[in-house]
Amino acid sequence: MSSQVVTRFAPSPTGYLHIGGARTALFNWLYARGRGGKFLLRIEDTDRERSTPEATAAILQGLEWLGLDWDGEVVSQFDRKDRHAEVAQEMLARGTAYRCFSTAEEIAAWKEAEKARGVSYPVFLSPWRDADPATHPDAPYVIRMKAPRDGLTVIRDEVQGEVTIRNETLDDMIVLRSDGTPTYMLAVVVDDHDMGVTHVIRGDDHLNNAARQQMVYDAMGWDIPVWAHIPLIHGPDGKKLSKRHGATGLEEYQAMGYPAAGMRNYLTRLGWAHGDLEIFTSEEAMAIFDLKGIGRAPARLDFKKLENTCGHHIAMAGDAALLAEVVGYLAAKDEPALSDAQRSLLARAMPFVKDRAKTFPELLEKARFALISRPVAPDEKAAAALDSVSRSILRSLTPHLQNASWTKDALEPILNQIAAENGIGFGKLAAPLRAALAGRSVTPSVFDMMLVIGRDETIARLSDAAG
Ligand code: GLU
């Protein structure tokens, strides 16, 4: 048996990609990638009523945006239904499953009778479990697995520890319905086995399923994967995460302009820790991510921390990569694309705007001076800085800029001199300059803006504002 780690993400395509699902995918991806293993993707589309191609597309788009690449083809669970049925037949042949002819009415009546006897949670015991096949009627049947009646099923979970389930609480679950379709519980196990999955890392809402699924592994004589059931994400108030806490869909975070690297970092830390390490790249995370670091208590979403983490990643990113990501962000939002000129100006502005921007909209707002074209329309606060005194100062400044060499070292003394001549501090001069150059009162440094847009554009904007 190969010792290569194989993990998988197995979403049901019934809606959008929830950030809890995205985090599950991320944990599986990190675990596999950090160990030279494989990360597989399986779409659990057996529920034909609720599964939609749009939901599948949204999941793939979300994973791609988050930068989680999977190995091989995307597996459709529905496409594998014949294989699932084949395994149900194999269980029959092995004697670990049986045909059950009990009708829904008979089962309901059986349960009523049990309740009447005082059993609060009756577990259906099929009369067909040990019936001689010679007595089988020519009638519809389901295939049920012959679950152990007594004893314990122990799930050795890397996160939850040992979880023990009394077998008498589990019924002989159906693996193949009377119409020949497999049940979800069978499909998951067959797929995980056939795909060679060695580690099942998923939400702890599936912990109870693990007990039943483990019985299928046992019934087929298959190796049981390593289980790791991770606690779900809660809202900041400690309650189960819901829309009322804020965004729950990964695509909403993309639309808010959080960088993918920041989201990966934040979601990795959401329920997993490595000492007090907070900020790391995905390569660093791959090297240290482990199942031991996953907490047993539900992690709480913390929007401040998300912003802080994303701010670090924007500041850390290379300028070219950041530009590409901003371009992708605008495209995803259906915003007008940047012209070539805007792109090259944004590239030049990047070193001056990426610090302290937590999202792409914040970065774009700081880069506004590089993206706008004349005439610059100042907002109300900026306009207030352009009174007649300031405008005449701007007018007196422009001739000095004509022949200055275009460096901060050359420009600084010129601006200081103009401020001194007018009996004002540099700060007082900066306000009308910001207004003239960017139309805003809060901007990157005046020198950085002048250097990015260049001499001609600077003089033109100052002249526009001077009137
Ligand atoms: N399809 C299941 C879900 O979306 C996951 C099943 C699994 O990971 O085993 O919740």
Side-chain angles (χ1 to χ4, degrees):
M1 204 184 77
S2 110
S3 59
Q4 189 185 39
V5 165
V6 180
T7 64
R8 53 42 162 202
F9 178 48
S12 305
T14 54
Y16 55 98
L17 180 55
H18 192 274
I19 51 163
R23 184 191 59 161
T24 298
L26 174 65
F27 280 12
N28 279 283
W29 179 78
L30 285 173
Y31 193 79
R33 291 282 175 264
R35 288 165 180 75
K38 285 198 166 141
F39 169 61
L40 309 178
L41 179 58
R42 178 174 74 236
I43 303 294
E44 302 211 312
D45 50 359
T46 45
D47 183 339
R48 303 313 283 169
E49 308 263 278
R50 297 180 61 220
S51 300
T52 66
E54 293 75 27
T56 298
I59 290 167
L60 301 192
Q61 190 275 334
L63 294 177
E64 277 164 12
W65 174 70
L66 199 54
L68 308 188
D69 56 333
W70 56 90
D71 293 297
E73 298 286 310
V74 178
V75 173
S76 153
Q77 186 160 68
F78 179 71
D79 285 353
R80 291 179 37 83
K81 57 186 184 314
D82 293 347
R83 167 65 181 151
H84 305 143
E86 183 184 294
V87 171
Q89 295 299 336
E90 210 175 313
M91 288 171 77
L92 264 189
R94 286 169 161 253
T96 55
Y98 60 94
R99 294 187 176 88
C100 171
F101 297 85
S102 298
T103 62
E105 295 74 36
E106 285 166 358
I107 296 170
W110 188 92
K111 287 193 176 165
E112 279 314 311
E114 286 295 289
K115 281 191 183 153
R117 283 201 315 125
V119 182
S120 357
Y121 297 105
V123 173
F124 178 57
L125 297 178
S126 169
W128 299 99
R129 177 171 161 126
D130 297 309
D132 179 351
T135 65
H136 283 179
D138 183 15
Y141 62 85
V142 298
I143 297 182
R144 288 183 186 272
M145 78 163 297
K146 227 178 235 183
R149 278 278 150 86
D150 43 35
L152 303 170
T153 292
V154 180
I155 302 292
R156 285 177 226 290
D157 192 277
E158 292 295 312
V159 178
Q160 313 283 339
E162 275 197 5
V163 181
T164 305
I165 291 104
R166 292 198 341 271
N167 291 333
E168 67 198 33
T169 64
L170 302 176
D171 65 358
D172 287 350
M173 71 168 173
I174 298 174
V175 290
L176 204 72
R177 298 187 192 92
S178 56
D179 63 1
T181 59
T183 57
Y184 167 70
M185 213 65 94
L186 175 69
V188 171
V189 175
V190 175
D191 290 348
D192 281 340
H193 170 263
D194 289 0
M195 291 162 74
V197 171
T198 58
H199 292 67
V200 170
I201 306 168
R202 63 186 175 191
D204 68 5
D205 47 337
H206 288 282
L207 183 58
N208 285 331
N209 292 344
R212 291 170 168 285
Q213 291 170 2
Q214 191 160 297
M215 287 178 177
V216 178
Y217 282 98
D218 287 340
M220 289 302 294
W222 291 339
D223 285 336
I224 295 166
V226 173
W227 303 113
H229 287 91
I230 52 186
L232 301 183
I233 298 172
H234 282 187
D237 58 0
K239 305 224 170 79
K240 196 172 177 287
L241 184 63
S242 76
K243 286 262 176 222
R244 104 195 121 75
H245 291 113
T248 54
L250 185 70
E251 89 284 355
E252 295 175 78
Y253 289 86
Q254 179 186 8
M256 285 188 272
Y258 289 107
M263 273 313 276
R264 282 199 300 275
N265 184 158
Y266 178 71
L267 288 178
T268 303
R269 269 291 284 113
L270 194 54
W272 172 85
H274 184 80
D276 51 12
L277 189 65
E278 293 291 351
I279 304 297
F280 41 77
T281 65
S282 295
E283 288 67 34
E284 288 163 344
M286 281 173 198
I288 52 176
F289 184 82
D290 56 2
L291 302 177
K292 298 270 170 285
I294 299 175
R296 283 171 88 154
R300 293 184 185 200
L301 206 55
D302 177 341
F303 292 102
K304 269 261 153 310
K305 189 163 162 183
L306 167 67
E307 291 194 335
N308 182 39
T309 305
C310 286
H312 272 97
H313 279 272
I314 289 180
M316 266 155 63
D319 294 343
L322 207 47
L323 179 64
E325 218 183 336
V326 170
V327 167
Y329 161 76
L330 291 172
K333 292 274 287 181
D334 271 336
E335 301 260 355
L338 299 178
S339 66
D340 288 348
Q342 283 177 315
R343 255 182 204 243
S344 66
L345 280 164
L346 181 54
R348 279 166 60 183
M350 208 54 103
F352 312 115
V353 298
K354 68 182 182 182
D355 278 341
R356 287 189 294 276
K358 299 182 289 288
T359 62
F360 295 138
E362 281 187 25
L363 182 144
L364 287 165
E365 171 58 25
K366 294 176 95 183
R368 186 188 142 81
F369 73 94
L371 301 173
I372 51 176
S373 44
R374 294 173 50 218
V376 175
D379 67 11
E380 206 180 319
K381 224 167 154 196
L386 290 170
D387 55 18
S388 59
V389 177
S390 307
R391 293 211 308 270
S392 83
I393 297 175
L394 292 185
R395 213 170 295 131
S396 68
L397 169 62
T398 43
H400 298 274
L401 300 178
Q402 295 291 0
N403 299 312
S405 57
W406 210 248
T407 63
K408 186 177 178 196
D409 285 349
L411 293 171
E412 204 166 10
I414 297 175
L415 295 195
N416 281 331
Q417 190 199 330
I418 291 286
E421 278 172 12
N422 289 279
I424 55 174
F426 181 77
K428 269 266 179 292
L429 176 60
L433 283 169
R434 291 180 201 284
L437 296 172
R440 293 286 183 267
S441 49
V442 181
T443 70
S445 108
V446 167
F447 299 109
D448 292 339
M449 290 194 291
M450 292 169 79
L451 295 177
V452 168
I453 64 175
R455 183 199 313 274
D456 293 349
E457 184 70 17
T458 299
I459 291 175
R461 290 188 193 182
L462 297 190
S463 309
D464 287 349

